[in-house]
Amino acid sequence: MLREKTMNDRDKVLTQLAEERWQVSLKLTLAMMFIYFGFILLVAFNKSLMGSVIVPGLSWGILLGALVIIAAWVLIYIYVRWTNNYYDRKIEEYIKS
């Protein structure tokens, strides 16, 4: 009986960690989709803005396209930091307990 209760507590910890990981992943995925599809919609519906030159050789389209790529790197960095600093520590605590 005691073992069942302990396993249920352990299961709850794993379930909570899985939910937190899912929430972080979903938020970051939605952020990337917003950025990417926002860029695509600008390309599709505001070609004059995207084609306008900021400085010779650099248009808004090129600049925003590069920023989409940089945003992806930043979101990956956020996920890796969260995983290394929070999720992995919780998993280690779970294994040790």
Side-chain angles (χ1 to χ4, degrees):
M1 191 79 155
L2 179 63
R3 183 177 171 91
E4 288 178 15
K5 182 178 181 188
T6 305
M7 289 304 289
N8 285 336
D9 291 342
R10 290 175 60 90
D11 289 344
K12 287 178 186 177
V13 169
L14 275 182
T15 302
Q16 180 183 1
L17 278 172
E19 287 175 8
E20 290 175 15
R21 183 173 171 212
W22 176 251
Q23 288 174 358
V24 168
S25 299
L26 185 61
K27 289 174 186 174
L28 294 173
T29 299
L30 291 174
M32 189 65 228
M33 288 178 65
F34 177 78
I35 292 166
Y36 178 75
F37 286 112
F39 174 73
I40 295 299
L41 289 172
L42 277 174
V43 169
F45 296 111
N46 203 348
K47 291 180 176 122
S48 61
L49 170 69
M50 299 302 273
S52 61
V53 177
I54 302 169
V55 295
L58 181 64
S59 68
W60 279 106
I62 293 171
L63 178 63
L64 292 176
L67 289 176
V68 167
I69 294 168
I70 292 169
W73 291 344
V74 168
L75 292 174
I76 291 167
Y77 175 77
I78 291 169
Y79 180 75
V80 169
R81 282 293 293 231
W82 178 82
T83 302
N84 289 341
N85 292 329
Y86 179 77
Y87 184 77
D88 289 346
R89 286 184 187 166
K90 292 290 186 179
I91 292 293
E92 286 177 20
E93 290 172 9
Y94 173 81
I95 291 171
K96 289 178 184 177
S97 65

